[in-house]
Amino acid sequence: MGRPTQWLSLLLLLLLPGPLPVAGMEDAAFPHLGESSQPPPRACPPRCSCPRVDTVDCDGLDLRVFPDNITRAAQHLSLQNNQLQELPYNELSRLSGLRTLNLHNNLISSEGLPDEAFESLTQLQHIYVAHNKLSVAPQFLPRSLRVADLAANQVMEIFPLTFGEKPALRSVYLHNNQLSNAGLPPDAFRGSEAVTTLSLSNNRFSYLPPSLPPSLERLHLQNNLISKVPRGALSRQTQLRELYLQHNQLTDSGLDATTFSKLHSLEYLDLSHNQLTTVPAGLPRTLAILHLGRNRIRQVEAARLHGARGLRYLLLQHNQLGSSGLPAGALRPLRGLHTLHLYGNGLDRVPLALPRRLRALVLPHNHVATLGARDLAATPGLMELNLAYNRLTSARVHHRAFRRLRTLRSLDLAGNQLTRLPMGLPTGLHTLRLQRNQLRMLEPEPLAGLDQLKELSLAHNRLRVGDIGPGTWHELQALQVRHRLVSHTIPRASPSPCLHCHIPNILVSWS
């Protein structure tokens, strides 16, 4: 037979069915008929998303029942922003590998949370149950816990093993609850010696709780009813850096000379919105920011500040400091002081002998009526001076009052009784605020050399276009538009290049 016959025989062999497969000889790696080469889909609760094998996200689905079909391999489960009222123990107990459980913003009550709910979650590190309806905390949380957030519930009681015996615990958030001293047992943090952040703000504590973790670095107790810090309550917290006690009911008798003396790492102390009449004693050297605003302090004594020589920011706004409230040299121990806030007191002059390195002096809404030639001589490094809304008149502002302030960049004299621009203004000024005075004229001499001025506020004075002297705007080349263009042209007496331009950035209110 010829070659065509050979090709025909070969074609028939290829078309004939092959031998039957022998059991056990299939290639398991090769897809068979009706099968896919892709792995089977992972089990995931309806409507939830499972981006990884260990992550289940059921956020914001309006769920009312704990979802089933959650894989046992889950390590991170989010059920926040739903309508859950209870956690079934049989479902949670299957998820022994969970590391993160997020139940934020549900309707879970203490009755819906069984005592044994978390006992099988031996690897849990982060639990978030904020914004629910718990009246008591869980009696037991796993030993492995690192972060616990029970804020914004109605919690009135904590148990010894809620947060106790947790060697890895770092942060506990209990703010916005109904906790009182009776609801926090003395051993609440026993065996949890690594806690660095504790938030107990917006509760009902009447005194600072004793037996707090010695490892604390941040302690929030603002917005409580605290009238006293018991002696020794803060004696072990040598690593504490931030202490928030504002909006309480602290009085001088509620503190003593040892209250803060052991806090050798303290940098920030907020005692504002209390009932103190003196600066607390025993402040540590490490303190950088001291907030004493909105108290009843009548006088600042230098002896109370000797220990706090590292202080950088002192806030004393809205107290009762009168003419003798800051005696000369009262702040002399604070050699490194950067900013002094004295807003809203009764001071009738700039305090004398202020720290030489002071950079910002904030004195608005006082009774300062005079600014002498040497009142600011002790602070040549000032960069910001705010004397707004005092009682200054042009006749009582000395023409050399600002002579030494060569680094001054911002000067606020708004809301006084000035009738003309002060003389001797520092040439490095960037901002000059003079609104709401009684200015009747603008002359070029006080503005001479202010070639760095970028903002000049003159609104709500008694100026008219004809009151602006020739050459007044000549030196002000750095002014920038910040608010609006005033729809008035420069008067004819101005230099010709600006004859028909608008006045930028100058908030003039023409009467």
mmCIF file with all atom_site columns, all heavy atoms in Angstrom, residues 11 51 74 80 83 86 111 130 138 159 191 211 217 236 239 380 384 400 414 447 483 506:
data_model
loop_
_atom_site.group_PDB
_atom_site.id
_atom_site.type_symbol
_atom_site.label_atom_id
_atom_site.label_alt_id
_atom_site.label_comp_id
_atom_site.label_asym_id
_atom_site.label_entity_id
_atom_site.label_seq_id
_atom_site.pdbx_PDB_ins_code
_atom_site.Cartn_x
_atom_site.Cartn_y
_atom_site.Cartn_z
_atom_site.occupancy
_atom_site.B_iso_or_equiv
_atom_site.pdbx_formal_charge
_atom_site.auth_seq_id
_atom_site.auth_comp_id
_atom_site.auth_asym_id
_atom_site.auth_atom_id
_atom_site.pdbx_PDB_model_num
ATOM 1   N N   . LEU A 1 11  ? -4.501  8.114   11.208 1.00 0.00 ? 11  LEU A N   1
ATOM 2   C CA  . LEU A 1 11  ? -5.641  8.944   11.607 1.00 0.00 ? 11  LEU A CA  1
ATOM 3   C C   . LEU A 1 11  ? -6.675  8.135   12.346 1.00 0.00 ? 11  LEU A C   1
ATOM 4   O O   . LEU A 1 11  ? -7.246  8.579   13.348 1.00 0.00 ? 11  LEU A O   1
ATOM 5   C CB  . LEU A 1 11  ? -6.250  9.598   10.363 1.00 0.00 ? 11  LEU A CB  1
ATOM 6   C CG  . LEU A 1 11  ? -7.460  10.523  10.605 1.00 0.00 ? 11  LEU A CG  1
ATOM 7   C CD1 . LEU A 1 11  ? -7.092  11.667  11.543 1.00 0.00 ? 11  LEU A CD1 1
ATOM 8   C CD2 . LEU A 1 11  ? -7.994  11.051  9.280  1.00 0.00 ? 11  LEU A CD2 1
ATOM 9   N N   . PRO A 1 51  ? -11.765 38.755  52.879 1.00 0.00 ? 51  PRO A N   1
ATOM 10  C CA  . PRO A 1 51  ? -10.656 39.035  51.966 1.00 0.00 ? 51  PRO A CA  1
ATOM 11  C C   . PRO A 1 51  ? -9.475  38.092  52.129 1.00 0.00 ? 51  PRO A C   1
ATOM 12  O O   . PRO A 1 51  ? -8.696  37.915  51.198 1.00 0.00 ? 51  PRO A O   1
ATOM 13  C CB  . PRO A 1 51  ? -10.270 40.475  52.307 1.00 0.00 ? 51  PRO A CB  1
ATOM 14  C CG  . PRO A 1 51  ? -10.761 40.685  53.701 1.00 0.00 ? 51  PRO A CG  1
ATOM 15  C CD  . PRO A 1 51  ? -11.991 39.857  53.826 1.00 0.00 ? 51  PRO A CD  1
ATOM 16  N N   . ALA A 1 74  ? -10.675 31.737  61.389 1.00 0.00 ? 74  ALA A N   1
ATOM 17  C CA  . ALA A 1 74  ? -10.746 33.194  61.535 1.00 0.00 ? 74  ALA A CA  1
ATOM 18  C C   . ALA A 1 74  ? -9.880  33.675  62.697 1.00 0.00 ? 74  ALA A C   1
ATOM 19  O O   . ALA A 1 74  ? -9.945  33.153  63.805 1.00 0.00 ? 74  ALA A O   1
ATOM 20  C CB  . ALA A 1 74  ? -12.191 33.628  61.739 1.00 0.00 ? 74  ALA A CB  1
ATOM 21  N N   . GLN A 1 80  ? -18.845 45.187  63.845 1.00 0.00 ? 80  GLN A N   1
ATOM 22  C CA  . GLN A 1 80  ? -19.222 46.529  64.309 1.00 0.00 ? 80  GLN A CA  1
ATOM 23  C C   . GLN A 1 80  ? -20.358 47.104  63.463 1.00 0.00 ? 80  GLN A C   1
ATOM 24  O O   . GLN A 1 80  ? -20.614 46.681  62.338 1.00 0.00 ? 80  GLN A O   1
ATOM 25  C CB  . GLN A 1 80  ? -18.019 47.449  64.274 1.00 0.00 ? 80  GLN A CB  1
ATOM 26  C CG  . GLN A 1 80  ? -17.492 47.777  62.894 1.00 0.00 ? 80  GLN A CG  1
ATOM 27  C CD  . GLN A 1 80  ? -16.378 48.797  62.928 1.00 0.00 ? 80  GLN A CD  1
ATOM 28  O OE1 . GLN A 1 80  ? -16.145 49.439  63.946 1.00 0.00 ? 80  GLN A OE1 1
ATOM 29  N NE2 . GLN A 1 80  ? -15.684 48.960  61.815 1.00 0.00 ? 80  GLN A NE2 1
ATOM 30  N N   . GLN A 1 83  ? -26.811 45.381  64.810 1.00 0.00 ? 83  GLN A N   1
ATOM 31  C CA  . GLN A 1 83  ? -27.883 45.458  65.798 1.00 0.00 ? 83  GLN A CA  1
ATOM 32  C C   . GLN A 1 83  ? -27.860 44.251  66.738 1.00 0.00 ? 83  GLN A C   1
ATOM 33  O O   . GLN A 1 83  ? -28.894 43.854  67.274 1.00 0.00 ? 83  GLN A O   1
ATOM 34  C CB  . GLN A 1 83  ? -29.241 45.513  65.077 1.00 0.00 ? 83  GLN A CB  1
ATOM 35  C CG  . GLN A 1 83  ? -29.389 46.638  64.079 1.00 0.00 ? 83  GLN A CG  1
ATOM 36  C CD  . GLN A 1 83  ? -29.471 47.989  64.761 1.00 0.00 ? 83  GLN A CD  1
ATOM 37  O OE1 . GLN A 1 83  ? -30.097 48.107  65.817 1.00 0.00 ? 83  GLN A OE1 1
ATOM 38  N NE2 . GLN A 1 83  ? -28.844 48.996  64.180 1.00 0.00 ? 83  GLN A NE2 1
ATOM 39  N N   . GLU A 1 86  ? -26.839 40.037  71.636 1.00 0.00 ? 86  GLU A N   1
ATOM 40  C CA  . GLU A 1 86  ? -26.202 39.018  72.465 1.00 0.00 ? 86  GLU A CA  1
ATOM 41  C C   . GLU A 1 86  ? -25.145 38.269  71.666 1.00 0.00 ? 86  GLU A C   1
ATOM 42  O O   . GLU A 1 86  ? -25.132 38.288  70.434 1.00 0.00 ? 86  GLU A O   1
ATOM 43  C CB  . GLU A 1 86  ? -27.241 38.035  73.004 1.00 0.00 ? 86  GLU A CB  1
ATOM 44  C CG  . GLU A 1 86  ? -28.003 37.292  71.919 1.00 0.00 ? 86  GLU A CG  1
ATOM 45  C CD  . GLU A 1 86  ? -29.039 36.343  72.504 1.00 0.00 ? 86  GLU A CD  1
ATOM 46  O OE1 . GLU A 1 86  ? -29.202 36.358  73.735 1.00 0.00 ? 86  GLU A OE1 1
ATOM 47  O OE2 . GLU A 1 86  ? -29.651 35.594  71.731 1.00 0.00 ? 86  GLU A OE2 1
ATOM 48  N N   . GLU A 1 111 ? -26.625 41.188  79.972 1.00 0.00 ? 111 GLU A N   1
ATOM 49  C CA  . GLU A 1 111 ? -27.412 39.963  79.967 1.00 0.00 ? 111 GLU A CA  1
ATOM 50  C C   . GLU A 1 111 ? -27.154 39.151  78.690 1.00 0.00 ? 111 GLU A C   1
ATOM 51  O O   . GLU A 1 111 ? -27.285 37.924  78.693 1.00 0.00 ? 111 GLU A O   1
ATOM 52  C CB  . GLU A 1 111 ? -28.907 40.280  80.075 1.00 0.00 ? 111 GLU A CB  1
ATOM 53  C CG  . GLU A 1 111 ? -29.334 40.860  81.416 1.00 0.00 ? 111 GLU A CG  1
ATOM 54  C CD  . GLU A 1 111 ? -28.928 42.310  81.602 1.00 0.00 ? 111 GLU A CD  1
ATOM 55  O OE1 . GLU A 1 111 ? -28.589 42.987  80.590 1.00 0.00 ? 111 GLU A OE1 1
ATOM 56  O OE2 . GLU A 1 111 ? -28.909 42.785  82.758 1.00 0.00 ? 111 GLU A OE2 1
ATOM 57  N N   . ALA A 1 130 ? -16.930 48.979  72.524 1.00 0.00 ? 130 ALA A N   1
ATOM 58  C CA  . ALA A 1 130 ? -17.398 50.340  72.800 1.00 0.00 ? 130 ALA A CA  1
ATOM 59  C C   . ALA A 1 130 ? -18.755 50.579  72.145 1.00 0.00 ? 130 ALA A C   1
ATOM 60  O O   . ALA A 1 130 ? -19.129 49.933  71.172 1.00 0.00 ? 130 ALA A O   1
ATOM 61  C CB  . ALA A 1 130 ? -16.379 51.357  72.286 1.00 0.00 ? 130 ALA A CB  1
ATOM 62  N N   . PRO A 1 138 ? -17.339 42.438  81.455 1.00 0.00 ? 138 PRO A N   1
ATOM 63  C CA  . PRO A 1 138 ? -17.220 40.967  81.495 1.00 0.00 ? 138 PRO A CA  1
ATOM 64  C C   . PRO A 1 138 ? -16.397 40.533  82.711 1.00 0.00 ? 138 PRO A C   1
ATOM 65  O O   . PRO A 1 138 ? -15.381 41.155  83.040 1.00 0.00 ? 138 PRO A O   1
ATOM 66  C CB  . PRO A 1 138 ? -16.492 40.645  80.184 1.00 0.00 ? 138 PRO A CB  1
ATOM 67  C CG  . PRO A 1 138 ? -16.764 41.811  79.291 1.00 0.00 ? 138 PRO A CG  1
ATOM 68  C CD  . PRO A 1 138 ? -16.844 43.002  80.180 1.00 0.00 ? 138 PRO A CD  1
ATOM 69  N N   . PHE A 1 159 ? -14.529 43.809  87.409 1.00 0.00 ? 159 PHE A N   1
ATOM 70  C CA  . PHE A 1 159 ? -14.200 42.661  88.256 1.00 0.00 ? 159 PHE A CA  1
ATOM 71  C C   . PHE A 1 159 ? -12.695 42.409  88.244 1.00 0.00 ? 159 PHE A C   1
ATOM 72  O O   . PHE A 1 159 ? -11.978 42.857  87.328 1.00 0.00 ? 159 PHE A O   1
ATOM 73  C CB  . PHE A 1 159 ? -14.959 41.425  87.770 1.00 0.00 ? 159 PHE A CB  1
ATOM 74  C CG  . PHE A 1 159 ? -16.452 41.591  87.813 1.00 0.00 ? 159 PHE A CG  1
ATOM 75  C CD1 . PHE A 1 159 ? -17.164 41.954  86.682 1.00 0.00 ? 159 PHE A CD1 1
ATOM 76  C CD2 . PHE A 1 159 ? -17.151 41.404  89.005 1.00 0.00 ? 159 PHE A CD2 1
ATOM 77  C CE1 . PHE A 1 159 ? -18.536 42.123  86.719 1.00 0.00 ? 159 PHE A CE1 1
ATOM 78  C CE2 . PHE A 1 159 ? -18.532 41.574  89.061 1.00 0.00 ? 159 PHE A CE2 1
ATOM 79  C CZ  . PHE A 1 159 ? -19.224 41.939  87.915 1.00 0.00 ? 159 PHE A CZ  1
ATOM 80  N N   . GLY A 1 191 ? -1.399  42.053  88.511 1.00 0.00 ? 191 GLY A N   1
ATOM 81  C CA  . GLY A 1 191 ? -0.861  41.118  87.536 1.00 0.00 ? 191 GLY A CA  1
ATOM 82  C C   . GLY A 1 191 ? -0.850  41.655  86.113 1.00 0.00 ? 191 GLY A C   1
ATOM 83  O O   . GLY A 1 191 ? -0.498  40.930  85.185 1.00 0.00 ? 191 GLY A O   1
ATOM 84  N N   . SER A 1 211 ? -3.954  52.232  93.545 1.00 0.00 ? 211 SER A N   1
ATOM 85  C CA  . SER A 1 211 ? -3.562  50.927  92.997 1.00 0.00 ? 211 SER A CA  1
ATOM 86  C C   . SER A 1 211 ? -3.671  50.872  91.479 1.00 0.00 ? 211 SER A C   1
ATOM 87  O O   . SER A 1 211 ? -4.023  49.837  90.906 1.00 0.00 ? 211 SER A O   1
ATOM 88  C CB  . SER A 1 211 ? -4.418  49.804  93.621 1.00 0.00 ? 211 SER A CB  1
ATOM 89  O OG  . SER A 1 211 ? -4.311  49.813  95.016 1.00 0.00 ? 211 SER A OG  1
ATOM 90  N N   . GLU A 1 217 ? 1.768   55.417  81.335 1.00 0.00 ? 217 GLU A N   1
ATOM 91  C CA  . GLU A 1 217 ? 2.391   56.572  80.690 1.00 0.00 ? 217 GLU A CA  1
ATOM 92  C C   . GLU A 1 217 ? 1.364   57.665  80.399 1.00 0.00 ? 217 GLU A C   1
ATOM 93  O O   . GLU A 1 217 ? 1.727   58.837  80.350 1.00 0.00 ? 217 GLU A O   1
ATOM 94  C CB  . GLU A 1 217 ? 3.073   56.150  79.387 1.00 0.00 ? 217 GLU A CB  1
ATOM 95  C CG  . GLU A 1 217 ? 4.231   55.179  79.605 1.00 0.00 ? 217 GLU A CG  1
ATOM 96  C CD  . GLU A 1 217 ? 4.885   54.747  78.304 1.00 0.00 ? 217 GLU A CD  1
ATOM 97  O OE1 . GLU A 1 217 ? 4.517   55.298  77.241 1.00 0.00 ? 217 GLU A OE1 1
ATOM 98  O OE2 . GLU A 1 217 ? 5.751   53.858  78.350 1.00 0.00 ? 217 GLU A OE2 1
ATOM 99  N N   . ARG A 1 236 ? 3.736   55.474  92.697 1.00 0.00 ? 236 ARG A N   1
ATOM 100 C CA  . ARG A 1 236 ? 4.421   54.404  91.967 1.00 0.00 ? 236 ARG A CA  1
ATOM 101 C C   . ARG A 1 236 ? 4.473   54.653  90.464 1.00 0.00 ? 236 ARG A C   1
ATOM 102 O O   . ARG A 1 236 ? 5.165   53.931  89.744 1.00 0.00 ? 236 ARG A O   1
ATOM 103 C CB  . ARG A 1 236 ? 3.719   53.062  92.208 1.00 0.00 ? 236 ARG A CB  1
ATOM 104 C CG  . ARG A 1 236 ? 3.682   52.605  93.658 1.00 0.00 ? 236 ARG A CG  1
ATOM 105 C CD  . ARG A 1 236 ? 3.171   51.178  93.751 1.00 0.00 ? 236 ARG A CD  1
ATOM 106 N NE  . ARG A 1 236 ? 1.895   51.006  93.067 1.00 0.00 ? 236 ARG A NE  1
ATOM 107 C CZ  . ARG A 1 236 ? 1.534   49.896  92.419 1.00 0.00 ? 236 ARG A CZ  1
ATOM 108 N NH1 . ARG A 1 236 ? 2.366   48.865  92.362 1.00 0.00 ? 236 ARG A NH1 1
ATOM 109 N NH2 . ARG A 1 236 ? 0.344   49.809  91.829 1.00 0.00 ? 236 ARG A NH2 1
ATOM 110 N N   . GLN A 1 239 ? 6.684   56.384  85.543 1.00 0.00 ? 239 GLN A N   1
ATOM 111 C CA  . GLN A 1 239 ? 6.809   56.477  84.087 1.00 0.00 ? 239 GLN A CA  1
ATOM 112 C C   . GLN A 1 239 ? 5.698   57.314  83.452 1.00 0.00 ? 239 GLN A C   1
ATOM 113 O O   . GLN A 1 239 ? 5.662   57.473  82.231 1.00 0.00 ? 239 GLN A O   1
ATOM 114 C CB  . GLN A 1 239 ? 6.783   55.068  83.480 1.00 0.00 ? 239 GLN A CB  1
ATOM 115 C CG  . GLN A 1 239 ? 7.910   54.167  83.973 1.00 0.00 ? 239 GLN A CG  1
ATOM 116 C CD  . GLN A 1 239 ? 7.812   52.770  83.379 1.00 0.00 ? 239 GLN A CD  1
ATOM 117 O OE1 . GLN A 1 239 ? 7.763   52.607  82.158 1.00 0.00 ? 239 GLN A OE1 1
ATOM 118 N NE2 . GLN A 1 239 ? 7.759   51.764  84.231 1.00 0.00 ? 239 GLN A NE2 1
ATOM 119 N N   . PRO A 1 380 ? 13.477  90.238  75.199 1.00 0.00 ? 380 PRO A N   1
ATOM 120 C CA  . PRO A 1 380 ? 13.847  90.681  73.852 1.00 0.00 ? 380 PRO A CA  1
ATOM 121 C C   . PRO A 1 380 ? 13.600  89.644  72.770 1.00 0.00 ? 380 PRO A C   1
ATOM 122 O O   . PRO A 1 380 ? 13.593  89.978  71.583 1.00 0.00 ? 380 PRO A O   1
ATOM 123 C CB  . PRO A 1 380 ? 15.347  90.972  73.983 1.00 0.00 ? 380 PRO A CB  1
ATOM 124 C CG  . PRO A 1 380 ? 15.806  90.086  75.099 1.00 0.00 ? 380 PRO A CG  1
ATOM 125 C CD  . PRO A 1 380 ? 14.658  90.048  76.063 1.00 0.00 ? 380 PRO A CD  1
ATOM 126 N N   . GLU A 1 384 ? 5.666   86.648  69.580 1.00 0.00 ? 384 GLU A N   1
ATOM 127 C CA  . GLU A 1 384 ? 4.225   86.908  69.547 1.00 0.00 ? 384 GLU A CA  1
ATOM 128 C C   . GLU A 1 384 ? 3.830   87.676  70.798 1.00 0.00 ? 384 GLU A C   1
ATOM 129 O O   . GLU A 1 384 ? 4.138   87.254  71.920 1.00 0.00 ? 384 GLU A O   1
ATOM 130 C CB  . GLU A 1 384 ? 3.429   85.602  69.487 1.00 0.00 ? 384 GLU A CB  1
ATOM 131 C CG  . GLU A 1 384 ? 1.925   85.815  69.529 1.00 0.00 ? 384 GLU A CG  1
ATOM 132 C CD  . GLU A 1 384 ? 1.131   84.522  69.640 1.00 0.00 ? 384 GLU A CD  1
ATOM 133 O OE1 . GLU A 1 384 ? 1.736   83.439  69.503 1.00 0.00 ? 384 GLU A OE1 1
ATOM 134 O OE2 . GLU A 1 384 ? -0.096  84.597  69.877 1.00 0.00 ? 384 GLU A OE2 1
ATOM 135 N N   . ARG A 1 400 ? 8.861   104.028 72.891 1.00 0.00 ? 400 ARG A N   1
ATOM 136 C CA  . ARG A 1 400 ? 9.966   103.063 72.884 1.00 0.00 ? 400 ARG A CA  1
ATOM 137 C C   . ARG A 1 400 ? 9.541   101.717 73.489 1.00 0.00 ? 400 ARG A C   1
ATOM 138 O O   . ARG A 1 400 ? 10.373  100.880 73.786 1.00 0.00 ? 400 ARG A O   1
ATOM 139 C CB  . ARG A 1 400 ? 11.164  103.628 73.648 1.00 0.00 ? 400 ARG A CB  1
ATOM 140 C CG  . ARG A 1 400 ? 11.652  104.957 73.104 1.00 0.00 ? 400 ARG A CG  1
ATOM 141 C CD  . ARG A 1 400 ? 12.839  105.487 73.865 1.00 0.00 ? 400 ARG A CD  1
ATOM 142 N NE  . ARG A 1 400 ? 14.048  104.715 73.593 1.00 0.00 ? 400 ARG A NE  1
ATOM 143 C CZ  . ARG A 1 400 ? 15.234  104.948 74.160 1.00 0.00 ? 400 ARG A CZ  1
ATOM 144 N NH1 . ARG A 1 400 ? 15.347  105.945 75.034 1.00 0.00 ? 400 ARG A NH1 1
ATOM 145 N NH2 . ARG A 1 400 ? 16.269  104.218 73.869 1.00 0.00 ? 400 ARG A NH2 1
ATOM 146 N N   . ALA A 1 414 ? -5.700  94.777  68.941 1.00 0.00 ? 414 ALA A N   1
ATOM 147 C CA  . ALA A 1 414 ? -7.107  94.983  68.623 1.00 0.00 ? 414 ALA A CA  1
ATOM 148 C C   . ALA A 1 414 ? -7.921  95.259  69.881 1.00 0.00 ? 414 ALA A C   1
ATOM 149 O O   . ALA A 1 414 ? -7.564  94.855  70.990 1.00 0.00 ? 414 ALA A O   1
ATOM 150 C CB  . ALA A 1 414 ? -7.664  93.744  67.918 1.00 0.00 ? 414 ALA A CB  1
ATOM 151 N N   . LEU A 1 447 ? 4.694   103.303 59.989 1.00 0.00 ? 447 LEU A N   1
ATOM 152 C CA  . LEU A 1 447 ? 4.783   102.118 59.140 1.00 0.00 ? 447 LEU A CA  1
ATOM 153 C C   . LEU A 1 447 ? 6.100   102.040 58.374 1.00 0.00 ? 447 LEU A C   1
ATOM 154 O O   . LEU A 1 447 ? 6.336   101.073 57.648 1.00 0.00 ? 447 LEU A O   1
ATOM 155 C CB  . LEU A 1 447 ? 3.623   102.103 58.145 1.00 0.00 ? 447 LEU A CB  1
ATOM 156 C CG  . LEU A 1 447 ? 2.219   102.014 58.761 1.00 0.00 ? 447 LEU A CG  1
ATOM 157 C CD1 . LEU A 1 447 ? 1.165   102.180 57.681 1.00 0.00 ? 447 LEU A CD1 1
ATOM 158 C CD2 . LEU A 1 447 ? 2.030   100.685 59.483 1.00 0.00 ? 447 LEU A CD2 1
ATOM 159 N N   . HIS A 1 483 ? -8.441  88.154  53.128 1.00 0.00 ? 483 HIS A N   1
ATOM 160 C CA  . HIS A 1 483 ? -9.874  88.083  53.409 1.00 0.00 ? 483 HIS A CA  1
ATOM 161 C C   . HIS A 1 483 ? -10.713 88.605  52.233 1.00 0.00 ? 483 HIS A C   1
ATOM 162 O O   . HIS A 1 483 ? -11.449 87.875  51.627 1.00 0.00 ? 483 HIS A O   1
ATOM 163 C CB  . HIS A 1 483 ? -10.200 88.885  54.672 1.00 0.00 ? 483 HIS A CB  1
ATOM 164 C CG  . HIS A 1 483 ? -9.558  88.306  55.895 1.00 0.00 ? 483 HIS A CG  1
ATOM 165 N ND1 . HIS A 1 483 ? -10.026 87.181  56.523 1.00 0.00 ? 483 HIS A ND1 1
ATOM 166 C CD2 . HIS A 1 483 ? -8.449  88.689  56.579 1.00 0.00 ? 483 HIS A CD2 1
ATOM 167 C CE1 . HIS A 1 483 ? -9.256  86.899  57.563 1.00 0.00 ? 483 HIS A CE1 1
ATOM 168 N NE2 . HIS A 1 483 ? -8.302  87.791  57.614 1.00 0.00 ? 483 HIS A NE2 1
ATOM 169 N N   . ILE A 1 506 ? -6.211  94.644  53.881 1.00 0.00 ? 506 ILE A N   1
ATOM 170 C CA  . ILE A 1 506 ? -6.383  95.582  54.972 1.00 0.00 ? 506 ILE A CA  1
ATOM 171 C C   . ILE A 1 506 ? -7.866  95.651  55.299 1.00 0.00 ? 506 ILE A C   1
ATOM 172 O O   . ILE A 1 506 ? -8.665  96.140  54.502 1.00 0.00 ? 506 ILE A O   1
ATOM 173 C CB  . ILE A 1 506 ? -5.834  96.967  54.588 1.00 0.00 ? 506 ILE A CB  1
ATOM 174 C CG1 . ILE A 1 506 ? -4.363  96.810  54.199 1.00 0.00 ? 506 ILE A CG1 1
ATOM 175 C CG2 . ILE A 1 506 ? -5.982  97.943  55.720 1.00 0.00 ? 506 ILE A CG2 1
ATOM 176 C CD1 . ILE A 1 506 ? -3.780  98.039  53.575 1.00 0.00 ? 506 ILE A CD1 1
#
